[in-house]
Amino acid sequence: MTGLGYTLPAVLAVIAVAAWELRILRTGLFRKPAYWIAMGIVLGFQIPVDGWLTKLSAPIVIYDEKHTSGLRFPFDIPVEDFLFGWALVTAVLLLWERQRVRQAEKENVS
């Protein structure tokens, strides 16, 4: 298991999105309770669906174990799925938040 095919990009995606928020956008999204509630909702759906898709007893989605960390939790879900999921959802919410702030600024100028 090298993890280079799936684990490394998943970790890099998390680092890139977090750095984008903390160093460039600075929307304050990570300090908002609504963000964490939204992430809880995402996990609430991701766990049963991803668990069903990746269960080792009858997988629909099969990962090459050479390219993952081999860590699976819960329900045989590769931990990398959570990393990619977090990065994807957070990036979209950051874009949405940035657009909201820009729109508010535009309305204040007019």
Side-chain angles (χ1 to χ4, degrees):
M1 288 181 266
T2 65
L4 293 178
Y6 196 52
T7 306
L8 181 61
V11 170
L12 291 176
V14 168
I15 292 168
V17 170
W20 188 40
E21 164 58 7
L22 297 172
R23 299 201 174 213
I24 298 168
L25 295 179
R26 299 177 188 226
T27 66
L29 185 67
F30 297 154
R31 293 188 304 270
K32 296 182 178 182
Y35 166 74
W36 295 105
I37 292 167
M39 293 311 291
I41 292 168
V42 168
L43 279 175
F45 285 97
Q46 183 180 5
I47 289 171
V49 171
D50 207 351
W52 177 68
L53 290 171
T54 62
K55 64 183 178 246
L56 292 175
S57 61
I60 294 169
V61 177
I62 300 171
Y63 295 93
D64 185 341
E65 293 298 324
K66 293 184 300 195
H67 299 292
T68 68
S69 65
L71 299 173
R72 291 175 168 259
F73 178 82
F75 307 120
D76 299 327
I77 301 169
V79 296
E80 292 87 355
D81 282 6
F82 293 107
L83 298 176
F84 270 127
W86 180 88
L88 175 66
V89 172
T90 300
V92 168
L93 291 174
L94 286 170
L95 288 171
W96 192 0
E97 185 67 11
R98 182 178 74 168
Q99 181 63 30
R100 187 190 65 77
V101 169
R102 283 185 175 174
Q103 187 65 33
E105 289 171 352
K106 195 177 192 181
E107 290 172 2
N108 287 337
V109 171
S110 300

